[in-house]
Amino acid sequence: MKKTDVIIIGAGASGLMTAYTLAKAGKTVTVLEARNRIGGRINTVKENFSGPTELGAEFVHGDLPVTLNLLKEAGIDACDVGFEMWQSHNGTFKQSEEFVEGWDGFLEKLNKLQSDMPLLDFLEHNFSGARYDKMRSQIENYVAGYDTADFRDASAFALRNEWNHEDEDAQHRVDGGYGKMINYLANECRNAGNEIHTNTTAREVRWKANAVQVMAANGTIYEAGKVIVALPLGVLQAPDNAEGAITFNPPIEQQKQAIHNMGFGSVIKILLEFDEIFWEKETICANLSNMGFLFSDEAIPTYWTQSPAHSPLLTGWLGGPPAFAEKGTSDEAILQMAIASLANIFKTGQEQLQNKLIAWHVANWTAEPFTRGSYAYDKVKSPEARKVLLKPVATTIYFAGEYLYDGPAMGTVEAALTSGKNVAESILAKK
């Protein structure tokens, strides 16, 4: 087996960005990917649907420098996304971006918090009692839906930082899908003479200073001077005997504990393409022609369109603990949950909606063994855990991933790309 400078475990955005950056600098790399495809939580598909459809990451959430610069370098356009936010409650539609009753007062008190604590503890200390029941429920749903997080252990400081730096006015989609960016990174890596092996599950990392052997489930052994572990946090948190889990020999106990001090959310994404854009029909008692997002109280509560494009594709979203609770539910049952939710929202029959459906896909990322969730969120101990994981083990074992990013774009492709780029540059700086 050919020995390379660096082995990268995981061919998602972070792993491929690491490989791309190292390859550009003349380093040799081998990328190992357990799935039968590259991209990780980016998965742009064309089968069944009328156009490129994102089963995973979809938006560029803001004017994010690493993502937009990479797209520009690759010659891939990103289009601005403008849309209206609507809410459907008790049978009525309302255009509104206010999700939490008493939000300003809540955020004002949160900004005065001196010591970090789980968000639930903050709410119980400051907004207890029946008169705040609705607000607490709305905040819980917001944290679950947007951050895919559990407010029982999510860091109040981290959420405060996110909410104070939201850039909702700048939203983009990648023309043709994020898969084009992934293919660009992979092709650049291969064109430099490097290999990306799919269907190759790394099971064990045997290491000593500046010497690594990675044992794959198929029995192949890969050797390098260094290894970069670019797996999703959910996989790193999995038990040693779980599918996709990886062990280290000798063990790295400090890093293992740090991994478990970070939060990883849950999500199920439902793609639904209909034979017409039924939500724009005049029979609906609201003008939804520019609707981007729709929020409701249904079992599948959140939907979005392809606005500003007028497309018959609706995307359903279930995040946080409610998604985890449905981890073992069949795709067909989740589809029926979505159909029932839409039927309730739009006051129509489930059978009628089902007959209008021409393509669908349930992306249950929480049940997917090589992902095991959505994206990271901070717990109270996460900042210290991140410091541990950002330090290489004997300049030999490195970690990369969106969970290691510390900034307002947490949980995004930008976070993954930034982490991968930073790890590669730290290795290159130690010549």
Side-chain angles (χ1 to χ4, degrees):
M1 181 58 61
K2 182 175 71 172
K3 182 176 179 178
T4 53
D5 294 324
V6 181
I7 294 170
I8 299 165
I9 303 174
S14 186
L16 289 176
M17 186 63 169
T18 309
Y20 164 79
T21 307
L22 290 171
K24 277 210 308 183
K27 295 290 186 182
T28 58
V29 301
T30 299
V31 183
L32 308 180
E33 170 56 51
R35 298 178 183 85
N36 61 1
R37 61 173 182 83
I38 60 173
R41 281 163 280 175
I42 290 173
N43 189 10
T44 308
V45 299
K46 297 179 181 177
E47 298 82 3
N48 301 323
F49 295 93
S50 59
T53 302
E54 302 283 28
L55 302 187
E58 183 168 345
F59 297 96
V60 181
H61 295 283
D63 290 327
L64 304 176
V66 178
T67 304
L68 294 179
N69 286 339
L70 179 61
L71 292 173
K72 183 178 180 181
E73 181 182 316
I76 302 169
D77 292 330
C79 59
D80 292 338
V81 175
F83 47 71
E84 297 173 352
M85 290 194 179
W86 286 77
Q87 298 190 38
S88 172
H89 303 293
N90 302 317
T92 62
F93 289 92
K94 179 184 178 182
Q95 186 181 346
S96 174
E97 298 184 17
E98 295 296 325
F99 303 106
V100 176
E101 188 177 275
W103 175 260
D104 290 342
F106 160 74
L107 193 59
E108 181 181 357
K109 189 157 286 190
L110 184 61
N111 283 331
K112 294 177 181 177
L113 185 65
Q114 296 297 310
S115 299
D116 199 9
M117 63 181 65
L119 185 62
L120 175 60
D121 291 356
F122 171 79
L123 287 169
E124 289 181 339
H125 290 163
N126 295 278
F127 297 96
S128 61
R131 68 182 177 132
Y132 292 115
D133 284 353
K134 184 177 180 181
M135 186 189 79
R136 289 196 304 271
S137 177
Q138 288 173 330
I139 290 172
E140 178 183 3
N141 292 339
Y142 185 50
V143 170
Y146 189 80
D147 297 280
T148 70
D150 188 337
F151 85 144
R152 292 173 296 185
D153 62 13
S155 158
F157 275 9
L159 290 168
R160 180 177 72 183
N161 182 53
E162 173 192 314
W163 292 332
N164 282 324
H165 294 90
E166 286 181 319
D167 188 10
E168 293 298 334
D169 292 333
Q171 298 286 335
H172 316 276
R173 276 194 179 96
V174 181
D175 287 356
Y178 263 121
K180 293 177 69 175
M181 182 195 77
I182 289 296
N183 289 335
Y184 172 77
L185 290 173
N187 289 338
E188 290 293 301
C189 186
R190 291 186 180 111
N191 290 341
N194 300 291
E195 296 180 346
I196 300 173
H197 299 277
T198 56
N199 295 305
T200 305
T201 305
R203 288 294 295 151
E204 182 185 5
V205 174
R206 298 176 183 173
W207 67 279
K208 58 184 179 181
N210 300 309
V212 172
Q213 287 186 327
V214 177
M215 326 296 288
N218 61 13
T220 307
I221 300 174
Y222 299 87
E223 295 186 354
K226 302 180 188 301
V227 63
I228 300 170
V229 181
L231 296 172
L233 184 62
V235 176
L236 295 175
Q237 292 177 340
D240 288 347
N241 61 350
E243 184 178 6
I246 189 166
T247 59
F248 296 85
N249 187 13
I252 48 173
E253 292 300 334
Q254 186 183 17
Q255 288 73 20
K256 184 176 182 179
Q257 182 59 55
I259 284 164
H260 287 279
N261 284 339
M262 308 187 84
F264 197 60
S266 302
V267 76
I268 300 173
K269 189 176 182 181
I270 307 105
L271 289 301
L272 306 164
E273 186 170 351
F274 296 92
D275 60 6
E276 64 173 350
I277 311 173
F278 68 84
W279 55 92
E280 292 186 9
K281 282 199 162 187
E282 293 179 4
T283 51
I284 296 171
C285 57
N287 180 5
L288 304 181
S289 59
N290 292 317
M291 179 181 73
F293 280 78
L294 176 64
F295 303 91
S296 75
D297 302 315
E298 298 295 330
I300 306 295
T302 303
Y303 295 86
W304 63 79
T305 70
Q306 294 295 297
S307 180
H310 292 272
S311 161
L313 180 69
L314 267 184
T315 300
W317 181 266
L318 182 66
F324 187 83
E326 302 295 343
K327 180 176 69 169
T329 303
S330 70
D331 289 354
E332 291 75 13
I334 291 169
L335 169 66
Q336 293 310 313
M337 288 172 61
I339 293 293
S341 297
L342 289 171
N344 289 339
I345 291 169
F346 292 104
K347 299 290 187 293
T348 188
Q350 293 186 41
E351 186 176 353
Q352 181 181 350
L353 275 183
Q354 187 84 44
N355 291 337
K356 299 177 80 60
L357 192 65
I358 61 174
W360 65 278
H361 187 102
V362 172
N364 189 341
W365 290 100
T366 307
E368 206 277 327
F370 301 123
T371 307
R372 298 180 179 269
S374 54
Y375 40 84
Y377 66 91
D378 268 6
K379 298 180 180 181
V380 173
K381 292 183 178 180
S382 292
E384 287 304 313
R386 191 176 292 112
K387 290 178 184 177
V388 170
L389 293 167
L390 285 171
K391 292 179 182 177
V393 181
T395 66
T396 302
I397 301 173
Y398 297 75
F399 289 88
E402 49 85 16
Y403 64 96
L404 293 175
Y405 171 90
D406 185 17
M410 268 191 74
T412 64
V413 175
E414 174 81 1
L417 294 173
T418 301
S419 174
K421 183 171 180 284
N422 289 346
V423 168
E425 289 176 348
S426 72
I427 289 175
L428 294 171
K430 292 181 171 63
K431 289 183 179 179

